[in-house]
Amino acid sequence: MKIARNTFDYILLIFKGIAMGAANKVPGVSGGIVAFVAGFYEEFIYSLQRINKTALKLLFTGKFKPFFSYINGSFLAAIILGMLISFFTISKLLDYLLIHYKLYVWSAFFGMILGSIYSVSKRFEKWNLTSVSFLTLGIIVGLGISFLEPATENDNLLFVFLCGIISVAGMTLPGLSGSFILILIGNYVLLLIDSVNALYDTIKELLTGNYNFIHDAARLRMLQVLAVFTAGSVTGMVSFSHLMNHLLQKYKLQTIAIIKGFIIGSLGVVWPWKNTIYKTNNNGAFLLDSQHEKIVEGYKRFIPELNNQTLSAIGFVTLGVLLIVILEWYGTKERKNI
C-alpha cells in the first residue's frame, strides 16, 4: 500500500509525525489515534511489516535503493523524522505545559479523543453482534487499564527492553496509550523523562565540546537505559505491525471495532478534572521511590463546577475536537489516493 506524493505531502507527513510523537508522550493519549484519524495508519502498519527477511537480505547485500523502496522508505523517513523532531522539541514543551497548564492540556487531548471516536465511527459500514462484542471488549479493557494502580520504578535492562516492546502499543494499536502503560508498570519517569533529558543534555554538551559526561556514571547509566529501551521499541514496533497487518487483512471490521472500544475506554485516563493521589504510610507521610519522587497511586476524578476556568477548559476540548476534524479532512484526501 503505497501512495504517490509530492514534496508538500511529505512536509505534511513530517508534521503528522510530530503530532504522533507528541501524542505518544502524553499519558492516556495514543499516537496511533493520530495515524488512524489522519489517514495513514494502514500505510504505517504496511510499511513497518515490510521490515522482514526480504528487506534485511536487500540491506545486507548492499541493495540499498531496492531496500528503501521495498519498505516504503520515503514515507517511514518522513514520519520518523517528525517523531524525532517532536522528541527533542514538542516533548519538552509538553512537559512544561503539563506542569503549568495541566487542566487545559488534558482538556485538549480529551477533545481529540472525542473527535477520534466520531472519526472511527464513520468508517463502519454496518454493525452486527460480532462488531458490538469487540467494541464492548475494547471499552472494558480500556477502562480497566485506566483504573489500575501504578507499580514502582525498575531499571533492570531486561525489564527496560520489555517496556520498550510494550510502549509502542500506542503507535500500532490506537486507543492504547504506551506512555500510560509505562506509568502503570512504574517506568514512565525513567524512560520518557530522565533518560530523554540525559540524552538531550549529552547532545548539548557534545555540541559545545564538553566530554565530562563520560565520567558521570549516572548519566552513562541513563544513556544505556535509553539505548535498551529504544531497541525494545523498534523490536515491538516491527513485531506488532506484522500482527496488526494480519488482523486488518483478515478481520478488519472486528479490529476497527476493538480499536474504537480502546479509544472510548481511554476517555477515563484523559478526563481533565482529576486530582493525583499519592501513596502514604500509616502516619500520612508520602512514600517515595528510588528517585525520591512521590509514588502515584491513582487519580480521583470529579465533576467540575461551572466557572471561568471550566469554560476555558471546555474551549480547549472544542479545540481538540476541531484539530481531529482537520486531520480527518486531510486523511480523507489521502485515502482517496490509495
Side-chain angles (χ1 to χ4, degrees), residues 78-90:
I79 294 296
I80 293 173
L81 175 60
M83 294 177 69
L84 288 174
I85 292 172
S86 172
F87 193 75
F88 291 105
T89 55
I90 303 298

Side-chain angles (χ1 to χ4, degrees), residues 9-308:
D9 292 329
Y10 282 109
I11 292 174
L12 284 179
L13 273 181
I14 292 174
F15 280 103
K16 291 176 182 179
I18 291 174
M20 194 173 179
N24 277 326
K25 182 69 179 291
V26 179
V29 182
S30 163
I33 290 178
V34 176
F36 201 87
V37 174
F40 64 91
Y41 176 73
E42 291 188 41
E43 185 179 7
F44 181 63
I45 295 299
Y46 163 84
S47 302
L48 288 176
Q49 63 90 30
R50 299 282 281 183
I51 303 175
N52 51 30
K53 291 181 180 179
T54 301
L56 294 177
K57 184 178 180 180
L58 290 171
L59 178 64
F60 290 122
T61 55
K63 299 177 181 178
F64 300 117
K65 190 172 181 179
F67 164 77
F68 195 74
S69 175
Y70 180 79
I71 66 169
N72 199 12
S74 298
F75 167 82
L76 282 179
I79 294 296
I80 293 173
L81 175 60
M83 294 177 69
L84 288 174
I85 292 172
S86 172
F87 193 75
F88 291 105
T89 55
I90 303 298
S91 293
K92 285 283 186 179
L93 175 61
L94 272 176
D95 288 341
Y96 174 83
L97 293 176
L98 282 169
I99 292 173
H100 298 281
Y101 303 98
K102 182 182 295 185
L103 174 62
Y104 301 138
V105 173
W106 285 121
S107 297
F109 279 108
F110 188 82
M112 290 177 66
I113 302 296
L114 288 176
S116 299
I117 293 171
Y118 168 73
S119 174
V120 175
S121 298
K122 288 172 60 179
R123 304 187 191 185
F124 267 91
E125 297 178 359
K126 60 180 180 179
W127 285 95
N128 54 39
L129 181 60
T130 301
S131 58
V132 171
S133 299
F134 277 90
L135 172 71
T136 304
L137 176 62
I139 294 173
I140 292 172
V141 173
L143 285 174
I145 290 175
S146 70
F147 287 97
L148 291 175
E149 293 185 6
T152 55
E153 186 175 290
N154 183 348
D155 68 349
N156 177 276
L157 293 182
L158 177 58
F159 184 69
V160 167
F161 184 80
L162 292 175
C163 287
I165 294 176
I166 295 170
S167 71
V168 299
M171 285 192 289
T172 54
L173 189 52
L176 280 186
S177 169
S179 55
F180 186 71
I181 293 175
L182 286 180
I183 286 179
L184 294 178
I185 57 182
N187 273 7
Y188 176 81
V189 173
L190 174 70
L191 299 176
L192 293 187
I193 296 179
D194 291 345
S195 62
V196 173
N197 288 340
L199 178 62
Y200 181 84
D201 293 338
T202 300
I203 292 175
K204 186 168 63 174
E205 290 173 8
L206 284 173
L207 292 175
T208 60
N210 183 353
Y211 302 97
N212 290 334
F213 70 90
I214 62 175
H215 304 295
D216 186 341
R219 174 80 65 82
L220 293 177
R221 177 62 177 178
M222 281 295 98
L223 293 176
Q224 183 184 36
V225 164
L226 181 60
V228 173
F229 176 66
T230 302
S233 298
V234 173
T235 301
M237 191 180 299
V238 174
S239 301
F240 278 127
S241 67
H242 284 271
L243 173 62
M244 290 306 300
N245 184 66
H246 173 75
L247 293 176
L248 286 169
Q249 292 290 331
K250 301 293 185 180
Y251 311 101
K252 186 170 184 176
L253 184 64
Q254 295 92 327
T255 302
I256 294 178
I258 202 167
I259 284 175
K260 182 178 178 181
F262 287 147
I263 294 173
I264 294 173
S266 70
L267 287 172
V269 181
V270 295
W271 177 253
W273 296 278
K274 57 180 178 267
N275 294 318
T276 305
I277 301 173
Y278 298 98
K279 289 187 177 180
T280 59
N281 60 21
N282 293 333
N283 297 322
F286 288 118
L287 297 179
L288 307 178
D289 61 18
S290 58
Q291 303 296 317
H292 303 293
E293 297 284 344
K294 289 183 287 187
I295 299 177
V296 176
E297 185 174 14
Y299 299 103
K300 181 179 180 181
R301 298 163 180 86
F302 62 91
I303 303 298
E305 297 179 358
L306 188 60
N307 52 37
N308 289 337

